[in-house]
Amino acid sequence: IIHPRHNLGIQYQNIYWKPTRNTLNTNQLFADSQVKDFETAMKGDLMNDKNIYDLSYTYQIDSIGKNLSVNLGYVEYSSHENNNITATSPHAQSNKTTHAEADIKLFTSTIDYQHKTKQGFTGKTGAYFSHSKNNSYYRMTNGSSTTVDDITPYNGADINENKLAGYITGRKNWNKFYVAAGVRYEYVNYKNTDKTGNESSKTYHDVFPSLEIGYQPTDKLQTNISFSRKVLYPTFQNLDPSTQYVDTFTYYVGNVNLQPEYSYNLNANIIYNRLITLSLG
């Protein structure tokens, strides 16, 4: 606390994790009207290292509740994984090795202002910006250290994403009633470059409104109804076009053409004594 109205916060975290893995999978395959067992044993070691830096500042303007806050954050994450895969089938046995790396960097910044009045009105507005970079690498080789036929030597992706958002909300109380409304705007720019040089990019921008009306007839009974529009963006892993094998017959691959999911949400709630809730959505 620099001053009764000025508060500065600094935070650092380090998370380091280095486990080993031993798995055994048995799959039943159908060939020539016969059922045959296929067994895959995987032994590997992993390493995950994450550093989190956070800087925050809050200016308490008055005792009613007006305040201004600024936050800066930075996260760097690194992971490495090496596996030996032994596959045994009725016909032959194969040995393969996999090596995967991922380096992620994320910078975030926010600024928020809250305005309160003695008449029961609370307003908030703010802006958010983030830049994220995800560089991944994956390779699978057979026992003679040569690349498996359907895996390119430099499989992976370099993903960059910028996100900008702004919002404004307001809430007003009248005795047992309250109304809260808001709107948020988001702009997202996404670019993916795979290890062969192919590029794909996307830009999303949209507006997301929300509205909530509440009524509290007694101290133990509360009711509210709310409406909102929300978005769910595809994850980096789901967009990564790299082919990553679990064993000879099992692999997963991302789809760069995935689009965000949008939803309209309407909910009604009855809450009794803060213990029992009946919801309809």
Side-chain angles (χ1 to χ4, degrees), residues 53-57 70-74 107-110:
Y53 308 86
D54 188 77
L55 176 65
S56 61
Y57 167 74
V70 180
N71 183 274
L72 300 175
Y74 178 73
F107 169 77
T108 61
S109 61
T110 61

Side-chain angles (χ1 to χ4, degrees), residues 122-133:
T122 301
K124 295 181 180 180
T125 185
Y128 169 88
F129 171 77
S130 69
H131 172 73
S132 56
K133 182 179 179 65

Side-chain angles (χ1 to χ4, degrees), residues 163-235:
K163 183 176 181 179
L164 179 64
Y167 76 93
I168 183 170
T169 65
R171 174 175 171 144
K172 182 70 170 66
N173 294 341
W174 294 276
N175 295 324
K176 298 179 180 181
F177 286 92
Y178 75 85
V179 175
V183 63
R184 186 179 81 258
Y185 172 78
E186 288 189 4
Y187 172 87
V188 179
N189 179 262
Y190 170 91
K191 182 179 180 180
N192 175 27
T193 305
D194 63 26
K195 297 304 181 182
T196 61
N198 296 322
E199 293 185 359
S200 61
S201 60
K202 293 181 175 63
T203 300
Y204 314 114
H205 59 93
D206 219 320
V207 176
F208 304 94
S210 64
L211 175 66
E212 181 177 334
I213 301 173
Y215 174 61
Q216 187 172 356
T218 67
D219 292 339
K220 292 187 176 182
L221 185 63
Q222 303 176 47
T223 62
N224 64 67
I225 184 171
S226 63
F227 165 80
S228 63
R229 183 172 186 254
K230 298 182 179 180
V231 61
L232 177 64
Y233 297 105
T235 63

Side-chain angles (χ1 to χ4, degrees), residues 36-54:
K36 300 179 181 180
D37 290 334
F38 182 85
E39 191 174 83
T40 301
M42 178 182 291
K43 295 182 179 180
D45 61 89
L46 296 80
M47 188 281 293
N48 295 291
D49 188 20
K50 179 189 284 187
N51 291 286
I52 304 171
Y53 308 86
D54 188 77

Side-chain angles (χ1 to χ4, degrees), residues 102-115:
D103 292 298
I104 301 172
K105 296 180 180 180
L106 171 64
F107 169 77
T108 61
S109 61
T110 61
I111 181 169
D112 299 278
Y113 171 70
Q114 177 174 273
H115 185 88

Side-chain angles (χ1 to χ4, degrees), residues 221-279:
L221 185 63
Q222 303 176 47
T223 62
N224 64 67
I225 184 171
S226 63
F227 165 80
S228 63
R229 183 172 186 254
K230 298 182 179 180
V231 61
L232 177 64
Y233 297 105
T235 63
F236 281 171
Q237 184 177 8
N238 290 338
L239 291 168
D240 187 349
S242 304
T243 304
Q244 301 196 28
Y245 276 81
V246 178
D247 56 44
T248 305
F249 291 111
T250 308
Y251 67 92
Y252 58 89
V253 58
N255 181 1
V256 297
N257 296 314
L258 289 178
Q259 298 294 321
E261 298 177 2
Y262 296 92
S263 64
Y264 293 91
N265 307 274
L266 183 64
N267 296 279
N269 299 285
I270 300 176
I271 306 169
Y272 177 74
N273 202 26
R274 299 185 179 180
L275 295 175
I276 301 174
T277 302
L278 177 64
S279 299

